[in-house]
Structures are given as C-alpha cells and as structure tokens.
Amino acid sequence: MGMEIAGRSHTGAVRERNQDVVAWEVRDDGGAGLLLVADGMGGYQGGEIASRMAADAVLEALVPRLSGVQTPTPALSVEESLMAAFALANERIQERRATDARLDKMGTTLVVAWLDGDQAHIAHVGDSRCYLIRAGKAHCLTRDDTVVQNMLDDGSITEADAANVPFRNVLTRAVGAMEALEVSYQCQPLQPGDRLLLCSDGLTNAVAQSDWEGVLTAEDSNESAVEVMIETALDNLASDNVSVVLLTLN
C-alpha cells in the first residue's frame, strides 16, 4: 500500500509562539512511514525546546530502522523501538532541564505512528491524539493523559462538564517531566483507504469532530484537508497552537 501524507503546524489565533512540532518520514519504497506530533509546555522557550528535542530524538532513533540502514542487534520489535525512542526523548529533555532553571518545568506531549505494511503501531504520552478515519468516520485511538480524562473515567464529571473544568488541560504524563515515563502503545490493523490523523489539542479544542470529519470528506487531497482544518480552527479563534498530520493509505 502507498502513503499520501500532509501536515502543518500553526501558531493559532492567540499565541505568540508555536510550541508544536510535526514531522514525518516515508521509506523510499512507500511501504513504511513514521508520523509524529509534539506539543510542548513549560514557559520561557521551554515548550519549543522540549517539543523539538522530542521530535529530533524520535527521528534519530527510528529513521535508520525505517530506511533499513540500521538493524538493531539484538533485533527489537517495533513496540520496543518506540519505547526506546520515547525513553531517549525523555532522558534528553530531563538533562536539558537540569542545565537551566528557566526550563525546569518544560515537557511535551508526543504521539507517534509507525506504519509498516497494513499495521499501525501507535505510541503516545499526553493529550495529542491519533485518530483512525475509516469510511468517513473518525475513531480516537489514544486516551488523553489529563486530569479531566481521569475524572471522566471515574465518573466524577460528565462529557458536558468537561469543557467547563478550569484545569481541563493539565497533563498527568508528559515527556521530560518524569523520570520513569509510562508510554501507551497499541497496534491497529489497517485497510486500503484508511486514514490516520495525528493532531495537537489546538485542533480538537477549536473544531468539533463532526466539523473536521466533514472537511476530510469534502476535500480531494490531504494537503487541502489539512489547510482547511487549520483555517477552520483559526476562524474559531483557536487559543492554542494547531498542528495536524494526515495520512491516507492508497
């Protein structure tokens, strides 16, 4: 199966700096690909630094395997390789935090999708999300690592309450913010025509799912769909950076 990928990151309608990073790589034969979104936090320039460091660490760790240039010895599974990449990102951000008191609160969300043939291996920390879009309907494959999600899960609040919780964006896990990082992982079988959408919460907080699902259906290319989703978020006065990476399996 071939892959069509497009992505973009925008500062949003309110923020002065963009602390999000998007990146992707596709193997030369089109049979494997790597996508990621990172959404930094931490004031000063901390968020920008953390998200870029995380993206760079993942690409450094995984692109050689993606391209076939480097085969780990002993051979690691895709899951093990993803866990190692997240651990590297976590270690590097923590080391950088220790060098500058202004960076002592920095960290980042990170969602990575590794596609190999008809399998998507998805790892994430934080509240940047990965969706599977099949037959025009989006299914969220990740669970937000947030206080609000914990409250939803234990029944303390309802979905209707969530938008009004003042600390709804407080993360319970972030790359670089904890020594022992817990990473969520799953493997999702794919079919021709399936799409994967990776995004920061700047999209999901500004544009209703039904609206961006409609954009995916209406637009005739990934590039135009990404542009329209981001423009819709800006029209809705997105209060955070907005980042989207969209892949279609042909």
Side-chain angles (χ1 to χ4, degrees):
M1 288 187 283
M3 302 179 189
E4 177 193 351
I5 303 175
R8 184 184 170 200
S9 183
H10 193 284
T11 305
V14 176
R15 297 288 179 92
E16 295 182 355
R17 310 179 78 104
N18 191 349
Q19 298 185 330
D20 288 3
V21 172
V22 302
W24 62 92
E25 293 281 343
V26 178
R27 197 168 66 199
D28 289 344
D29 66 3
L34 178 70
L35 327 173
L36 69 83
V37 170
D39 178 358
M41 63 181 194
Y44 175 52
Q45 292 180 329
E48 295 172 72
I49 294 170
S51 58
R52 173 46 62 190
M53 290 184 71
D56 288 347
V58 168
L59 295 173
E60 177 185 324
L62 298 181
V63 168
R65 173 171 174 169
L66 178 75
S67 63
V69 171
Q70 174 182 318
T71 301
T73 304
L76 300 178
S77 68
V78 173
E79 179 180 359
E80 289 169 334
S81 296
L82 284 165
M83 295 304 107
F86 272 71
L88 178 64
N90 193 60
E91 178 183 359
R92 287 186 176 173
I93 294 170
Q94 288 195 319
E95 288 175 350
R96 182 65 183 276
R97 285 175 58 165
T99 68
D100 189 335
R102 293 173 296 179
L103 303 177
D104 67 352
K105 297 185 185 302
M106 79 174 182
T108 185
T109 73
L110 182 61
V111 57
V112 179
W114 174 293
L115 283 84
D116 192 358
D118 62 355
Q119 301 287 322
H121 303 265
I122 298 150
H124 92 283
V125 171
D127 62 357
S128 294
R129 296 178 180 176
C130 178
Y131 289 86
L132 169 69
I133 298 96
R134 178 171 289 167
K137 182 64 179 175
H139 310 273
C140 189
L141 300 178
T142 51
R143 176 195 178 275
D144 291 349
D145 295 320
T146 60
V147 172
V148 160
Q149 188 60 56
N150 288 350
M151 296 174 71
L152 287 167
D153 290 348
D154 67 20
S156 301
I157 60 172
T158 67
E159 288 284 354
D161 300 324
N164 299 316
V165 175
F167 47 85
R168 60 186 177 276
N169 294 324
V170 174
L171 300 178
T172 56
R173 290 191 283 171
V175 179
M178 52 197 64
E179 192 164 329
L181 182 66
E182 182 181 352
V183 182
S184 299
Y185 166 84
Q186 67 170 292
C187 182
Q188 172 66 46
L190 299 176
Q191 304 171 3
D194 281 350
R195 307 172 95 175
L196 286 182
L197 173 76
L198 276 61
C199 63
S200 64
D201 64 347
L203 175 73
T204 51
N205 288 340
V207 184
Q209 180 172 325
S210 58
D211 290 341
W212 59 254
E213 282 179 333
V215 170
L216 293 175
T217 302
E219 297 302 315
D220 59 5
S221 72
N222 283 3
E223 288 82 1
S224 60
V226 168
E227 290 298 320
V228 172
M229 280 190 283
I230 288 180
E231 292 304 319
T232 302
L234 296 178
D235 289 344
N236 292 345
L237 302 179
S239 60
D240 202 351
N241 311 143
V242 185
S243 296
V244 178
V245 180
L246 178 63
L247 172 144
T248 301
L249 285 180
N250 300 316

